[in-house]
Amino acid sequence: MCGNNMSLPLLAEAVTVSGSEKETAAMIFLHGLGDSGHGWAETLAAIQLPHVKFICPHAPKIPVTLNMRSTMPAWFDLMGLSPDSPEDEAGIKKAAENIRAIIEHEAKNGIPPHRIILGGFSQGGALSLYTALTCQHQLAGVVALSCWLPLHRSFPSASSGNKNLPILQCHGEMDYMIPVHFGAMTAEKLKSIVNPQMLSFKTYPGLPHSSCPQEMAAVKEFIEKYLPRI
């Protein structure tokens, strides 16, 4: 199942940026490790369309192995940042289920999954990719910034089979946290999961593990294309 009737603390505490007219679409955006939804809500508000609602949940605080078990906001545990690092499979799957529950909630309240884009930055982008690719619903698209595909060895068999899922993947060419070649490897993997024509992989010279106005302009264009006013 894609979500359930569980309580939704992630949604209750999320930063929501309401549209200026009737909301017929939504973007759920997941922040990176150690961050919160507040900063991304401000960034996204600058590119908002009047009929689109932005939902920016906060990750729960958990001990993170990569940071000496320090407790911080994280969607799942991270053991390392290389493609061969061990992964928190149970945590990734639980986090994806929590995000799917938000999608289900929005659907029950009038915004169907095909009018929802899932997006995120770094660890949040990784979770958005995994969630969208394993969700039984056909979403409007995925925005994956400076990230990778979790549990990549489980694909394409783990995919729900939605081959025509639009994906915008962006990466800074000076990213030393998640190197751009990891992004390129992810893009190649994604081409084996979805129709390659549905994937756009953009890189930005001089950009570190961060975002930039040019990247946000690409995100806005993607939203305009796949969440048109109806």
Side-chain angles (χ1 to χ4, degrees):
M1 291 295 292
C2 188
N4 51 39
N5 294 322
M6 61 180 279
S7 60
L8 293 171
L10 281 183
L11 190 56
E13 298 170 7
V15 183
T16 299
V17 182
S18 300
S20 59
E21 57 185 52
K22 178 178 171 59
E23 295 167 344
T24 61
M27 182 178 195
I28 302 167
F29 195 92
L30 311 178
H31 63 74
L33 180 69
D35 200 0
S36 75
H38 290 289
W40 281 104
E42 290 181 18
T43 299
L44 294 167
I47 61 166
Q48 187 172 25
L49 304 181
H51 61 285
V52 180
K53 170 170 63 172
F54 286 122
I55 302 168
C56 299
H58 309 303
K61 293 182 179 179
I62 62 170
V64 175
T65 301
L66 183 67
N67 289 342
M68 297 181 293
R69 302 291 294 168
S70 296
T71 298
M72 63 185 62
W75 299 108
F76 49 86
D77 191 15
L78 277 176
M79 288 74 160
L81 291 176
S82 78
D84 299 320
S85 297
E87 293 187 272
D88 176 17
E89 181 174 356
I92 291 165
K93 291 180 175 178
K94 178 183 176 184
E97 189 64 29
N98 290 339
I99 302 307
R100 284 194 282 268
I102 297 178
I103 295 168
E104 290 285 351
H105 182 274
E106 290 304 306
K108 289 175 184 174
N109 285 277
I111 298 180
H114 72 269
R115 295 284 293 166
I116 296 175
I117 285 177
L118 194 53
F121 174 80
S122 195
Q123 190 190 45
L127 180 57
S128 70
L129 272 178
Y130 182 84
T131 303
L133 291 170
T134 57
C135 183
Q136 295 304 311
H137 291 307
Q138 176 76 46
L139 301 180
V142 184
V143 171
L145 309 181
S146 307
C147 67
W148 69 96
L149 176 61
L151 306 179
H152 61 92
R153 292 182 187 85
S154 67
F155 289 95
S157 60
S159 171
S160 58
N162 296 326
K163 291 278 190 181
N164 291 317
L165 176 69
I167 300 174
L168 172 63
Q169 193 189 349
C170 300
H171 219 110
E173 293 181 9
M174 298 298 288
D175 189 337
Y176 297 112
M177 188 83 66
I178 312 292
V180 68
H181 73 268
F182 289 1
M185 290 165 62
T186 297
E188 285 305 308
K189 182 70 177 184
L190 290 171
K191 289 176 185 176
S192 72
I193 304 170
V194 302
N195 182 340
Q197 293 179 324
M198 304 305 291
L199 173 67
S200 177
F201 179 47
K202 299 178 181 291
T203 64
Y204 298 88
L207 182 66
H209 193 63
S210 182
S211 186
C212 66
Q214 293 87 348
E215 184 181 70
M216 285 296 103
V219 173
K220 183 176 184 179
E221 185 178 315
F222 186 83
I223 296 171
E224 289 173 335
K225 181 174 181 178
Y226 292 106
L227 295 179
R229 184 188 270 106
I230 56 173

